[in-house]
């Protein structure tokens, strides 16, 4: 019985030491695995973010090409700028926008055009 108990204690100690050794190795390996996984994910996500112009302050070549073609000198011709470029500019103000201009008052403060 005593030999059996000694055998059980040796197995228990051996198992604990191998467990702590394995945990020590995992403490070193898992940050590397996490870093490699992060680099792989960034290599997949960043090119898409670049093309879709989702990175603040960074414009793709397609963005700069399109931005250089915009002509901002139509303000006297009654063209209303819209967020979507359909090729044919909007020349009439949409009815839901009429009277919504926010104007600064001479004495200070701000009012909607419809309130004046």
């Amino acid at each position: 019985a005593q030999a059996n108990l000694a055998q059980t204690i040796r197995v228990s100690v051996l198992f604990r030491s191998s467990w702590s050794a394995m945990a020590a190795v995992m403490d070193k390996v898992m940050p590397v695995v996490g870093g490699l996984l992060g680099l792989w994910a960034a290599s997949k996500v960043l090119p898409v973010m670049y093309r879709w112009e989702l990175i603040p302050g960074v414009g793709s070549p397609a963005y700069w090409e399109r931005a250089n073609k915009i002509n901002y000198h139509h303000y006297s011709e009654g063209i209303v700028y819209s967020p979507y470029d359909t090729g044919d500019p909007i020349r009439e103000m949409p009815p839901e926008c009429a009277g919504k201009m926010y104007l600064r008052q001479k004495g200070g403060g701000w009012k909607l055009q419809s309130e004046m």
Side-chain angles (χ1 to χ4, degrees):
Q2 207 166 20
N4 200 8
L5 179 62
Q7 179 69 22
T8 305
I9 290 173
R10 270 190 247 133
V11 169
S12 167
V13 169
L14 183 63
F15 181 71
R16 284 187 194 158
S17 66
S18 68
W19 179 257
S20 63
M22 189 168 61
V25 169
M26 285 297 167
D27 284 345
K28 304 289 186 210
V29 171
M30 289 313 290
V32 173
V33 170
L36 290 173
L37 185 64
L39 283 174
W40 176 80
S43 73
K44 300 297 180 187
V45 170
L46 285 176
V48 173
M49 290 177 68
Y50 179 69
R51 267 179 278 148
W52 291 357
E53 290 132 17
L54 296 174
I55 303 171
V58 177
S60 67
Y63 168 81
W64 291 113
E65 181 182 327
R66 188 70 182 142
N68 290 333
K69 292 180 182 178
I70 297 174
N71 185 358
Y72 291 102
H73 305 293
H74 290 297
Y75 63 90
S76 62
E77 299 171 16
I79 293 177
V80 179
Y81 289 103
S82 70
Y84 303 105
D85 184 10
T86 59
D88 185 31
I90 301 170
R91 298 185 190 279
E92 295 178 12
M93 183 179 294
E96 61 271 9
C97 296
K100 302 286 173 129
M101 193 171 6
Y102 205 47
L103 303 172
R104 184 172 183 173
Q105 303 299 303
K106 287 182 182 177
W110 296 82
K111 281 188 179 179
L112 283 173
Q113 182 182 12
S114 59
E115 296 174 1
M116 297 188 66

